[in-house]
Amino acid sequence: MSHPPFSPAQARAARLRIGLTPEQVTAALAQLGVRRPVDAVTAWESGAVAPSEGELFALADALWCPVPTLMALRPRSLREHRLARGLSAERLALRIGMPVPDYVRTEADHRWSGTDVQTVLLADALGLEPDELVRVIGRAGELDGLLRQAVEGRWKQHTASLARLVDAPERGVARALRTLHQEYARFGERYRGHLVARSDDARLKEIATERAGWLRALPDRFLHLVGHGTGPPPS
């Protein structure tokens, strides 16, 4: 497995913030069961070598700082979220009830193949909100596809699938889909109204552009309506 994301500058800054020497960091690592020479600590800080996952977790403990600080990034992938929680692949696989080789393959292939139960356990283990979960396990395209089918056709038949996908109560999902279906239908009503009135092409294009923008924002709008949005609903 490749080395985890690591910022030498952040590691050095974290050490200096608590006033430790490289020798003291080495001693702290040894107390945590990770025995490395002083040269290893200085090599990490210089960027000559990157720590392994286990070394990263131990270094964060030794420096009294969160793992994401040493990663110097906002976790986006499944592996990055796992690392940010200080979990080994084996430990996370155990928590979600997935064979370790299957989980490791999931990270390597960037393709989530877990069951619904494993997906819920994954979200809990990594502290992921439903909208984050959808992005992390690569199902954003599935969400968008299901939502478009729902607003363009019979939304009720998609309620259960969408509720499972975003881990939300079916009643709340049904309310959201009803609202979205009505909003989408109004675009069609406006468009047909202007066709009957023989409005100019500019007005028809304007409505079509508005609808295209609404569809692009559809996943965020849906997540907001079911109570998983992180900000105001799209206009």
Side-chain angles (χ1 to χ4, degrees), residues 69-98:
T69 297
L70 299 184
M71 292 166 63
L73 53 75
R74 179 182 177 185
R76 300 188 65 83
S77 68
L78 180 55
R79 186 190 184 205
E80 289 170 357
H81 277 282
R82 173 177 63 77
L83 290 170
R85 287 277 166 165
L87 295 170
S88 66
E90 293 78 10
R91 187 178 171 192
L92 181 56
L94 180 64
R95 285 184 60 171
I96 66 176
M98 178 180 283

Side-chain angles (χ1 to χ4, degrees), residues 100-199:
V100 174
D102 291 352
Y103 177 78
V104 171
R105 186 163 50 251
T106 289
E107 279 195 1
D109 296 344
H110 301 285
R111 296 183 71 180
W112 176 247
S113 59
T115 64
D116 289 344
V117 171
Q118 289 169 337
T119 301
V120 172
L121 292 173
L122 180 75
D124 180 67
L126 299 183
L128 297 173
E129 293 297 325
D131 53 338
E132 290 181 300
L133 177 65
V134 169
R135 286 192 289 269
V136 168
I137 65 178
R139 299 177 76 174
E142 182 180 352
L143 174 62
D144 185 70
L146 283 174
L147 286 173
R148 291 194 181 218
Q149 292 176 41
V151 299
E152 292 172 354
R154 304 188 179 205
W155 61 265
K156 290 183 180 179
Q157 69 187 46
H158 298 287
T159 301
S161 297
L162 283 163
R164 287 194 300 270
L165 183 60
V166 300
D167 187 25
E170 285 193 25
R171 182 175 297 181
V173 169
R175 284 197 298 266
L177 291 180
R178 184 186 301 112
T179 296
L180 294 171
H181 189 271
Q182 292 169 348
E183 291 178 0
Y184 185 79
R186 283 197 284 272
F187 283 111
E189 292 168 2
R190 289 169 57 200
Y191 194 86
R192 288 190 296 273
H194 282 284
L195 280 177
V196 171
R198 297 186 179 181
S199 300

Side-chain angles (χ1 to χ4, degrees), residues 27-50:
L29 289 172
Q31 291 179 343
L32 294 167
V34 178
R35 300 186 180 280
R36 299 291 183 271
V38 175
D39 289 349
V41 174
T42 56
W44 294 339
E45 290 189 3
S46 71
V49 179

Side-chain angles (χ1 to χ4, degrees), residues 189-230:
E189 292 168 2
R190 289 169 57 200
Y191 194 86
R192 288 190 296 273
H194 282 284
L195 280 177
V196 171
R198 297 186 179 181
S199 300
D200 57 37
D201 288 346
R203 183 55 185 149
L204 295 175
K205 288 179 180 178
E206 181 181 327
I207 296 172
T209 300
E210 288 179 18
R211 188 185 72 161
W214 184 89
L215 285 171
R216 284 194 298 273
L218 182 56
D220 288 338
R221 172 77 171 137
F222 169 72
L223 291 169
H224 177 85
L225 289 173
V226 296
H228 294 322
T230 57

